[in-house]
């Protein structure tokens, strides 16, 4: 879970402009990371967890060029029996929600 949250926060901090906000919210079985960055175009939302998608299509990604952070988030979350979802519109930030089974 540490790696999942770390990847999401790292991405949010990287894309959020100076003076913007990154928020982490928790609830039983759930973590939500939101930012006030550029958001994600609607056409990319279904593909955001695919390896290299945002790097290939939008030139977005980590400075090291790996482009696999969100794919790792999805793989680790699913390995724990959970799911990860993204909500966001271009120009209005993004919200990533990780939900794990309770109990």
């Amino acid at each position: 879970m540490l790696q999942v949250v770390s990847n999401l926060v790292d991405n949010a901090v990287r894309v959020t402009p100076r003076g913007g906000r990154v928020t982490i919210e928790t609830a039983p079985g759930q973590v939500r990371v939101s930012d006030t960055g550029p958001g994600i175009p609607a056409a990319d939302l279904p593909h955001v967890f695919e390896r290299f998608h945002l790097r290939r299509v939008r030139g977005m990604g980590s400075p090291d060029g790996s482009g696999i952070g969100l794919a790792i988030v999805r793989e680790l979350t699913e390995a724990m029996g959970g799911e990860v979802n993204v909500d966001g519109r271009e120009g209005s930030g993004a919200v990533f929600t990780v939900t794990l089974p309770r109990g």
Side-chain angles (χ1 to χ4, degrees):
M1 192 62 191
L2 179 60
Q3 185 68 55
V4 168
V5 174
S6 176
N7 282 12
L8 292 175
V9 170
D10 182 60
N11 285 352
V13 168
R14 189 172 13 83
V15 302
T16 300
R18 184 180 198 122
R21 182 178 312 161
V22 173
T23 305
I24 304 167
E25 300 173 87
T26 62
Q30 192 172 78
V31 174
R32 179 174 295 151
V33 177
S34 58
D35 65 62
T36 57
I40 301 169
D44 292 325
L45 286 173
H47 307 285
V48 77
F49 296 105
E50 295 173 14
R51 292 175 185 264
F52 312 112
H53 177 77
L54 291 176
R55 173 157 300 287
R56 185 178 63 250
V57 174
R58 304 281 174 204
M60 299 168 68
S62 60
D64 68 3
S66 64
I68 62 171
L70 292 176
I72 290 170
V73 165
R74 181 181 61 186
E75 289 175 23
L76 289 174
T77 300
E78 290 177 354
M80 292 183 284
E83 65 180 16
V84 59
N85 296 295
V86 61
D87 184 33
R89 291 178 300 166
E90 190 169 15
S92 64
V95 179
F96 288 85
T97 304
V98 175
T99 305
L100 298 176
R102 292 176 59 188

